[in-house]
Amino acid sequence: MEETISLQEIVKIIRKRLLLIIILTIITVGITAGISLYVLTPIYKAQTQILVNQNNNTNEAYSWSQMETDLQLINTYNVIITSPVILIPVIEKLGLDVTPETLMNQISVSNESDSKIVNITVVDSKPSQAVEISNTVADVFKEKIPQLMSVDNINILSSAKLSENPSPIKPNKIRNIAIAVVIGLVLGIGLAFLLELLDTTIKSEKDIEDLLDLPIMGVIGSIAKEKVSKSTFMSRRIRRN
């Protein structure tokens, strides 16, 4: 029974402060949408895939041995791709006004376990520049790797391409607004309960019972003003008579 009463009280408080909850939610969503649309810089992503594979395999035994070597070299390649020896020529080719360290932070290199495919992912505020950097890094790496390691086992599997309507990966407006709705509701409900807790005024018989821990024996009802005036007038007439 206590749980039912508690649940009813919760619903009653939420209903009572529903307007406050809605206003806080709308304000939170509006601020979040404004920041996502007009403050945060959109970030775009482009990806180029390279295949680590020897071109001139002559027999099956050699192919297996070379595949094992290629897989072992991938971790080394991942480091070389983001090193200044690759990034400096990329900066020079594209005429970028950034340092190798800054460009390195825009690039991530990954590959699946036991896979000879390496993904070069670039993020940038300009979608076309992200595509150019991704493809240029792959081209420079393929050009430089024979000189650096005396191997020629790099092929461009797929180049990054600029779509007609590129979509940014950040900020995620829908996710941000959904989070803002949840935060707004939590803040609104929390504030509603806080206001209810701080409100110590007595509004009903139940408030008196809860405060004094005594049963209510009777209630004096309110009398309409017109009835009071009429009653006073009648009493005066009786006295005169």
Side-chain angles (χ1 to χ4, degrees), residues 9-107:
E9 290 295 325
I10 290 172
V11 174
K12 182 180 178 182
I13 292 171
I14 292 176
R15 279 185 174 180
K16 180 180 177 182
R17 308 284 182 178
L18 186 59
L19 182 60
L20 173 66
I21 295 170
I22 292 173
I23 290 174
L24 273 178
T25 303
I26 292 174
I27 291 173
T28 307
V29 170
I31 292 173
T32 303
I35 292 173
S36 298
L37 291 171
Y38 303 110
V39 177
L40 298 179
T41 303
I43 301 297
Y44 298 87
K45 179 178 75 173
Q47 186 179 84
T48 301
Q49 291 183 322
I50 60 175
L51 176 64
V52 180
N53 188 32
Q54 193 75 357
N55 293 328
N56 54 347
N57 296 329
T58 55
N59 54 62
E60 186 177 349
Y62 181 78
S63 297
W64 177 258
S65 173
Q66 189 61 49
M67 183 178 70
E68 288 294 313
T69 302
D70 291 340
L71 289 173
Q72 293 172 5
L73 286 173
I74 284 178
N75 289 333
T76 304
Y77 290 165
N78 291 349
V79 176
I80 293 174
I81 288 172
T82 55
S83 67
V85 71
I86 302 298
L87 299 184
I88 290 175
V90 171
I91 292 171
E92 292 173 350
K93 279 190 174 185
L94 298 178
L96 302 176
D97 186 20
V98 296
T99 63
E101 291 77 14
T102 302
L103 184 58
M104 181 178 67
N105 293 330
Q106 295 180 236
I107 301 172

Side-chain angles (χ1 to χ4, degrees), residues 137-237:
V137 168
D139 292 337
V140 171
F141 176 69
K142 181 181 178 182
E143 178 187 330
K144 294 284 185 180
I145 202 64
Q147 306 167 21
L148 296 172
M149 301 191 66
S150 300
V151 292
D152 184 14
N153 60 348
I154 301 297
N155 293 302
I156 307 296
L157 185 63
S158 66
S159 299
K161 295 180 180 178
L162 180 64
S163 62
E164 292 183 3
N165 297 304
S167 299
I169 58 169
K170 294 188 296 184
N172 190 326
K173 301 180 183 68
I174 296 176
R175 184 187 62 187
N176 291 350
I177 290 174
I179 293 173
V181 170
V182 174
I183 293 174
L185 288 173
V186 171
L187 288 175
I189 293 172
L191 185 58
F193 279 95
L194 179 62
L195 292 174
E196 193 68 22
L197 183 64
L198 295 176
D199 186 3
T200 57
T201 57
I202 297 175
K203 299 183 179 66
S204 66
E205 298 85 4
K206 187 178 182 304
D207 292 339
I208 298 174
E209 285 184 336
D210 294 338
L211 181 64
L212 301 178
D213 196 20
L214 294 172
I216 300 297
M217 302 301 294
V219 178
I220 300 175
S222 58
I223 303 174
K225 186 176 180 181
E226 295 145 355
K227 289 185 178 180
V228 172
S229 301
K230 187 175 180 182
S231 175
T232 305
F233 175 74
M234 291 295 295
S235 64
R236 285 177 180 176
R237 286 187 63 184

